[in-house]
């Protein structure tokens, strides 16, 4: 799989506690994408720095696009690069809330373009967390916790201040997942999990697992194109 493919990175700018920067989702997806590009030879497009971050909208530093705008940006990128004769577009996501936009944009693009568009978000996430991390997630969510802090220590350690890392598991409201509850109102620190258990070694191990899985997914997809 060589230069006919262009990984595109779509992310978010939002709070990640006091120990991590606003651009965590950007740095992580960029880091994963760069490693994936190096392994496959695919070209790497610039990162889309903003995503759908409604739940953090009232916290300074957060920039949130409407969900349909995220879909529109993805589709515009796909239509643009399709004109160059590429064979596949890969969307690498590091922000869970973008997954819905990616899914619906990819479905529409399947009817509009002749190239496959694939979107990736930390393959086998729960299995990897269970295998590598020592603390549980907050009801399946990963945000400013051991998981993200460990990945940041592996990719951008100079932007991590572990002296400010905390453990916080906010009480889950009865209507969580059934109403428009803002996550920014639940956590005092911005952390959902135990960031104090993060290490660079854990981050490097998880990165290796994710990138290896992503590479296999892309190679299998590329083989289908070549058949």
């Amino acid at each position: 799989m060589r230069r006919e493919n262009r990984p595109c990175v779509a992310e978010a700018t939002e709070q990640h506690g006091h120990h991590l920067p606003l651009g965590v989702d950007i740095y992580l997806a960029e880091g994963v994408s760069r490693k994936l590009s190096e392994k496959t030879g695919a070209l790497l497009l610039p990162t889309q720095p903003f995503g759908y971050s409604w739940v953090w909208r009232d916290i300074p530093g957060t920039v949130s696009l409407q969900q349909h705008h995220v879909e529109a940006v993805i589709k515009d990128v796909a239509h643009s690069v399709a004109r160059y004769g590429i064979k596949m577009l890969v969307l690498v996501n590091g922000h869970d809330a973008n997954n819905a936009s990616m899914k619906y944009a990819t479905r529409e693009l399947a009817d509009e373009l002749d190239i496959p568009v694939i979107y990736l978000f930390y393959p086998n996430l729960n299995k990897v967390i269970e295998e590598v991390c020592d603390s549980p997630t907050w009801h399946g969510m990963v945000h400013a916790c051991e998981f993200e802090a460990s990945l940041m220590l592996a990719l951008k350690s100079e932007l991590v201040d572990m002296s400010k890392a905390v453990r916080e598991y906010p009480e889950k409201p009865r209507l969580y997942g059934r109403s428009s509850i803002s996550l920014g109102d639940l956590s005092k620190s911005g952390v959902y999990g135990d960031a104090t258990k993060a290490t660079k070694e854990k981050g490097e191990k998880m990165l290796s697992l994710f990138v290896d899985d992503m590479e296999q997914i892309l190679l299998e997809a590329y083989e289908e194109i070549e058949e």
Side-chain angles (χ1 to χ4, degrees):
M1 179 168 57
R2 299 294 163 189
R3 302 177 65 84
E4 303 92 343
N5 311 279
R6 286 169 166 79
C8 174
V9 190
E11 293 323 311
T13 299
E14 61 184 28
Q15 76 81 26
H16 280 82
H18 298 293
H19 61 302
L20 297 175
L22 294 171
V24 165
D25 296 334
I26 297 171
Y27 298 127
L28 296 186
E30 277 185 349
V32 169
S33 297
R34 193 167 301 281
K35 290 179 179 296
L36 192 58
S37 178
E38 291 170 354
K39 295 192 72 169
T40 63
L43 297 178
L44 183 61
L45 287 172
T47 304
Q48 160 60 29
F50 307 125
Y52 181 67
S53 299
W54 182 87
V55 295
W56 312 110
R57 67 197 185 287
D58 294 324
I59 298 178
T62 299
V63 177
S64 180
L65 302 183
Q66 295 180 46
Q67 185 169 326
H68 66 278
H69 287 168
V70 179
E71 292 179 33
V73 170
I74 292 170
K75 292 186 63 177
D76 283 347
V77 170
H79 277 274
S80 294
V81 301
R83 299 177 68 88
Y84 314 155
I86 69 167
K87 293 185 177 180
M88 181 167 63
L89 175 65
V90 181
L91 307 172
V92 179
N93 182 30
H95 176 59
D96 189 30
N98 285 339
N99 282 327
S101 295
M102 288 189 165
K103 178 175 71 174
Y104 297 123
T106 300
R107 287 179 177 178
E108 293 182 13
L109 288 167
D111 295 329
E112 299 170 4
L113 298 177
D114 292 329
I115 64 169
V117 180
I118 297 172
Y119 63 99
L120 301 173
F121 178 75
Y122 299 129
N124 300 312
L125 176 61
N126 293 333
K127 179 181 178 182
V128 171
I129 289 177
E130 183 177 348
E131 177 182 337
V132 179
C133 294
D134 295 318
S135 61
T137 63
W138 185 80
H139 303 290
M141 187 178 84
V142 289
H143 188 80
C145 53
E146 178 183 3
F147 173 78
E148 286 194 319
S150 292
L151 292 178
M152 280 294 293
L153 286 170
L155 289 170
K156 286 284 186 179
S157 60
E158 70 275 15
L159 299 180
V160 181
D161 186 352
M162 287 300 292
S163 70
K164 296 180 180 178
V166 300
R167 177 187 187 277
E168 183 175 357
Y169 288 86
E171 183 178 352
K172 181 182 177 182
R174 287 175 59 84
L175 291 178
Y176 178 74
R178 300 179 178 85
S179 68
S180 55
I181 293 174
S182 175
L183 289 174
D185 297 331
L186 303 183
S187 172
K188 295 178 180 179
S189 65
V191 173
Y192 286 76
D194 190 351
T196 67
K197 294 187 179 296
T199 68
K200 180 179 180 180
E201 291 72 25
K202 293 175 183 176
E204 290 175 341
K205 183 174 183 179
M206 290 189 289
L207 280 173
S208 179
L209 292 170
F210 291 138
V211 173
D212 285 349
D213 277 352
M214 287 181 175
E215 180 187 18
Q216 287 304 309
I217 291 170
L218 298 191
L219 290 176
E220 291 172 10
Y222 195 73
E223 288 175 359
E224 291 183 6
I225 297 173
E226 294 293 280
E227 291 180 353

